[in-house]
mmCIF file of all heavy atoms in Angstrom:
data_model
loop_
_atom_site.group_PDB
_atom_site.id
_atom_site.type_symbol
_atom_site.label_atom_id
_atom_site.label_comp_id
_atom_site.label_asym_id
_atom_site.label_seq_id
_atom_site.Cartn_x
_atom_site.Cartn_y
_atom_site.Cartn_z
ATOM 1 N N ASP A 237 -19.643 -61.813 7.142
ATOM 2 C CA ASP A 237 -20.023 -60.567 6.345
ATOM 3 C C ASP A 237 -21.414 -60.143 6.755
ATOM 4 O O ASP A 237 -21.745 -58.883 6.884
ATOM 5 C CB ASP A 237 -20.139 -61.078 4.841
ATOM 6 C CG ASP A 237 -18.698 -61.097 4.158
ATOM 7 O OD1 ASP A 237 -17.745 -60.683 4.915
ATOM 8 O OD2 ASP A 237 -18.580 -61.672 3.101
ATOM 9 N N LYS A 238 -22.393 -60.969 7.048
ATOM 10 C CA LYS A 238 -23.624 -60.779 7.494
ATOM 11 C C LYS A 238 -23.608 -60.008 8.867
ATOM 12 O O LYS A 238 -24.314 -58.975 8.991
ATOM 13 C CB LYS A 238 -24.501 -62.038 7.607
ATOM 14 C CG LYS A 238 -26.005 -61.688 7.919
ATOM 15 C CD LYS A 238 -26.867 -62.951 8.007
ATOM 16 C CE LYS A 238 -28.298 -62.771 8.368
ATOM 17 N NZ LYS A 238 -29.102 -63.943 8.406
ATOM 18 N N LEU A 239 -22.921 -60.547 9.769
ATOM 19 C CA LEU A 239 -22.785 -59.893 11.142
ATOM 20 C C LEU A 239 -22.137 -58.536 11.039
ATOM 21 O O LEU A 239 -22.560 -57.582 11.704
ATOM 22 C CB LEU A 239 -21.986 -60.805 12.057
ATOM 23 C CG LEU A 239 -22.648 -62.147 12.475
ATOM 24 C CD1 LEU A 239 -21.655 -63.101 13.170
ATOM 25 C CD2 LEU A 239 -23.746 -61.890 13.434
ATOM 26 N N CYS A 240 -21.142 -58.383 10.202
ATOM 27 C CA CYS A 240 -20.413 -57.083 9.991
ATOM 28 C C CYS A 240 -21.353 -56.089 9.399
ATOM 29 O O CYS A 240 -21.391 -54.902 9.718
ATOM 30 C CB CYS A 240 -19.161 -57.327 9.201
ATOM 31 S SG CYS A 240 -17.903 -58.265 10.025
ATOM 32 N N GLU A 241 -22.109 -56.515 8.495
ATOM 33 C CA GLU A 241 -23.058 -55.642 7.693
ATOM 34 C C GLU A 241 -24.125 -55.101 8.655
ATOM 35 O O GLU A 241 -24.420 -53.935 8.692
ATOM 36 C CB GLU A 241 -23.771 -56.368 6.567
ATOM 37 C CG GLU A 241 -24.712 -55.451 5.730
ATOM 38 C CD GLU A 241 -25.312 -56.208 4.697
ATOM 39 O OE1 GLU A 241 -24.793 -57.342 4.224
ATOM 40 O OE2 GLU A 241 -26.186 -55.788 4.068
ATOM 41 N N LEU A 242 -24.512 -55.986 9.609
ATOM 42 C CA LEU A 242 -25.584 -55.611 10.511
ATOM 43 C C LEU A 242 -25.037 -54.613 11.640
ATOM 44 O O LEU A 242 -25.675 -53.559 11.960
ATOM 45 C CB LEU A 242 -26.087 -56.820 11.346
ATOM 46 C CG LEU A 242 -27.020 -57.776 10.602
ATOM 47 C CD1 LEU A 242 -27.334 -58.908 11.392
ATOM 48 C CD2 LEU A 242 -28.366 -56.999 10.320
ATOM 49 N N ALA A 243 -23.664 -54.771 11.989
ATOM 50 C CA ALA A 243 -23.002 -53.893 12.894
ATOM 51 C C ALA A 243 -22.756 -52.497 12.361
ATOM 52 O O ALA A 243 -23.094 -51.574 12.804
ATOM 53 C CB ALA A 243 -21.660 -54.568 13.324
ATOM 54 N N LEU A 244 -22.420 -52.445 11.048
ATOM 55 C CA LEU A 244 -22.255 -51.219 10.222
ATOM 56 C C LEU A 244 -23.433 -50.472 9.983
ATOM 57 O O LEU A 244 -23.453 -49.199 10.052
ATOM 58 C CB LEU A 244 -21.405 -51.431 9.006
ATOM 59 C CG LEU A 244 -19.918 -51.977 9.162
ATOM 60 C CD1 LEU A 244 -19.423 -52.353 7.729
ATOM 61 C CD2 LEU A 244 -19.054 -51.082 9.797
ATOM 62 N N ASP A 245 -24.565 -51.183 9.821
ATOM 63 C CA ASP A 245 -25.725 -50.459 9.535
ATOM 64 C C ASP A 245 -26.584 -49.970 10.760
ATOM 65 O O ASP A 245 -27.658 -49.449 10.640
ATOM 66 C CB ASP A 245 -26.680 -51.376 8.678
ATOM 67 C CG ASP A 245 -26.148 -51.546 7.257
ATOM 68 O OD1 ASP A 245 -25.295 -50.639 6.867
ATOM 69 O OD2 ASP A 245 -26.474 -52.498 6.538
ATOM 70 N N ASN A 246 -26.139 -50.524 12.018
ATOM 71 C CA ASN A 246 -26.888 -50.128 13.169
ATOM 72 C C ASN A 246 -27.040 -48.606 13.375
ATOM 73 O O ASN A 246 -26.074 -47.780 13.425
ATOM 74 C CB ASN A 246 -26.202 -50.640 14.370
ATOM 75 C CG ASN A 246 -27.119 -50.823 15.554
ATOM 76 O OD1 ASN A 246 -27.431 -49.870 16.058
ATOM 77 N ND2 ASN A 246 -27.358 -52.098 15.980
ATOM 78 N N PRO A 247 -28.233 -48.177 13.583
ATOM 79 C CA PRO A 247 -28.602 -46.750 13.717
ATOM 80 C C PRO A 247 -28.138 -46.118 15.025
ATOM 81 O O PRO A 247 -28.112 -44.890 15.061
ATOM 82 C CB PRO A 247 -30.082 -46.598 13.518
ATOM 83 C CG PRO A 247 -30.521 -47.963 14.058
ATOM 84 C CD PRO A 247 -29.395 -48.877 13.548
#
Side-chain angles (χ1 to χ4, degrees):
D237 288 345
K238 183 178 179 181
L239 291 167
C240 289
E241 185 177 345
L242 288 172
L244 292 173
D245 290 341
N246 197 294

